[in-house]
Amino acid sequence: MFGPLHFTTENAPLSNDVLEDGPEIDCIFCDKKFKLPSGIKNISDHVHESHKLFIDSIEKIANLEKYLSYWKGRFSMITKEDLLGNSDEGYHILSDQLEEDKLLREQLRAEKLELALEKQRQEREANSYARDCLFCHTHVRGNVADYVSHLWAKHNLQLGRPDNLVYVDELINTIQKKMDSLLCIYCEKVFKDRNVLKEHMRKKLHKRINPKNSEYDKFYIVNYLSSGHVEKTLDDLTAKASSDSESDNSDWSDWIEDSNCSITCLLCRENFTTFDDAVNHMKLEHKFDYTKNTKELSFYQQVKLVNYIRRQVHRRQCFCCDKSLETDLAMTEHLCEHQDLMPERSLWDQPEYFFPTYENDFFLCQIVDPQEDGEASSGVDDVYCESQNDSVDSSCSQDIR
């Protein structure tokens, strides 16, 4: 069985990212029908109570409709006892401990990631996007990055880097719907009129989305890189700014500096408060120049490289020559023997390394694409830290600290 490495926090569930119900789907054993996603709990309870089958982590399955359809077909040809074995009380668990189930979940997650990446590519390349600003009378033309940059530069609406967003028009529609309902998008309180709402959002620094609201998960690409929920820690990144600030153009760039998000070295267990400190440490102590080695790599290539190195270091296997070491100290000493610490591309440039090795790997939160960094909105820092859940060895399911 596979499970994630942990830096600090517990796993959190991922709510299904489809906001409206689709067509009805049958139970995998009978003809009883359920609506998805609103009926996820109902179908889980029904299968458990009526058919004595518990579907593990059902809320984390990337495409539940396809998942249930697959198993309905399989159970029409084979009994759950033949597939899952006999049990004393007749109850069974369907989880990724079963290789067939594990492969199915991974395939569905990969398909979901592909769709999100393709949508993100289309949004980046399309230059015909046009929409009125949420706050002023400006009609913004260009692409979605231009629109998000306008919201940040002119109104301090903090959505994160355009590079990290997907389904942006739907995100803006969601925000607009809430504001039209006089709802603060951060604290979600309702106000008597638009002027009071705007004043509240300005003074309280609530021009950002609610990190606890899973409705926004589908709009951030990092959520598609893991099998579980990406725990957004905007609360930990809140600036210590005065609540009675008079200017809409106040500088919020110090949010990240006050966070408790420690960044762990890729090659040892040292933790740092800033990304630059971690990179400098690796260069001085381990002779691994991350900036130089990744300057020609895209954002997604850097993600794969980091996840590959993380996994190899955890296993105490050299990420260059694959030699196994007995201790962390032996691993560190061995790495110093390599003249060039950059592993061969064929080792790390694999789809499996899209998926994070660690929970809360804040190193990943700091990665930027050097080829596109100049096109990102000025000064917009990442506001989402990752709580990663995906496949590594079951022995990895522990806090490394």
Side-chain angles (χ1 to χ4, degrees), residues 138-240:
T138 303
H139 188 69
V140 182
R141 296 180 179 274
N143 56 34
V144 292
D146 296 325
Y147 189 85
V148 173
S149 297
H150 170 84
L151 293 177
W152 161 254
K154 299 299 183 182
H155 308 290
N156 286 340
L157 181 63
Q158 183 78 2
L159 298 178
R161 291 182 181 275
D163 291 347
N164 297 337
L165 299 174
V166 67
Y167 304 114
V168 177
D169 200 48
E170 187 177 343
L171 170 60
I172 302 304
N173 286 338
T174 301
I175 293 174
Q176 183 169 28
K177 182 178 179 180
K178 290 180 182 295
M179 293 183 62
D180 288 346
S181 300
L182 303 179
L183 190 73
C184 174
I185 61 175
Y186 181 77
C187 68
E188 302 191 339
K189 293 180 179 178
V190 179
F191 294 84
K192 63 179 182 180
D193 58 49
R194 192 173 182 85
N195 289 332
V196 176
L197 171 62
K198 290 171 64 176
E199 186 69 5
H200 161 82
M201 292 175 65
R202 180 182 68 82
K203 285 189 173 183
K204 297 296 184 181
L205 304 182
H206 282 187
K207 286 189 176 182
R208 49 201 173 105
I209 65 173
N210 185 350
K212 306 298 183 183
N213 190 342
S214 60
E215 180 181 2
Y216 296 111
D217 289 350
K218 71 173 293 182
F219 306 119
Y220 291 85
I221 200 67
V222 293
N223 287 301
Y224 296 86
L225 301 179
S226 65
S227 63
H229 179 68
V230 174
E231 183 179 349
K232 299 176 286 292
T233 55
L234 267 172
D235 284 340
D236 295 334
L237 307 180
T238 305
K240 293 180 179 178

Side-chain angles (χ1 to χ4, degrees), residues 200-330:
H200 161 82
M201 292 175 65
R202 180 182 68 82
K203 285 189 173 183
K204 297 296 184 181
L205 304 182
H206 282 187
K207 286 189 176 182
R208 49 201 173 105
I209 65 173
N210 185 350
K212 306 298 183 183
N213 190 342
S214 60
E215 180 181 2
Y216 296 111
D217 289 350
K218 71 173 293 182
F219 306 119
Y220 291 85
I221 200 67
V222 293
N223 287 301
Y224 296 86
L225 301 179
S226 65
S227 63
H229 179 68
V230 174
E231 183 179 349
K232 299 176 286 292
T233 55
L234 267 172
D235 284 340
D236 295 334
L237 307 180
T238 305
K240 293 180 179 178
S242 171
S243 63
D244 60 351
S245 169
E246 293 298 326
S247 173
D248 267 348
N249 295 317
S250 58
D251 184 7
W252 294 5
S253 61
D254 61 338
W255 282 13
I256 300 298
E257 301 303 321
D258 292 330
S259 74
N260 294 320
C261 302
S262 61
I263 299 171
T264 303
C265 171
L266 296 180
L267 309 181
C268 68
R269 297 172 185 257
E270 287 288 323
N271 294 311
F272 302 89
T273 57
T274 70
F275 182 72
D276 288 341
D277 287 345
V279 169
N280 289 335
H281 162 81
M282 289 190 291
K283 183 176 181 180
L284 295 174
E285 298 297 327
H286 303 292
K287 311 304 179 187
F288 180 70
D289 192 336
Y290 179 85
T291 303
K292 177 183 177 182
N293 289 339
T294 61
K295 65 180 181 180
E296 300 298 328
L297 301 183
S298 70
F299 170 81
Y300 298 107
Q301 289 170 334
Q302 290 183 63
V303 167
K304 289 189 283 186
L305 174 63
V306 168
N307 290 328
Y308 168 74
I309 292 176
R310 289 285 197 209
R311 183 177 297 189
Q312 290 295 98
V313 170
H314 170 79
R315 292 172 170 172
R316 297 197 187 104
Q317 288 182 287
C318 177
F319 53 81
C320 291
C321 66
D322 209 35
K323 180 179 180 179
S324 296
L325 287 306
E326 294 295 327
T327 65
D328 291 343
L329 179 60

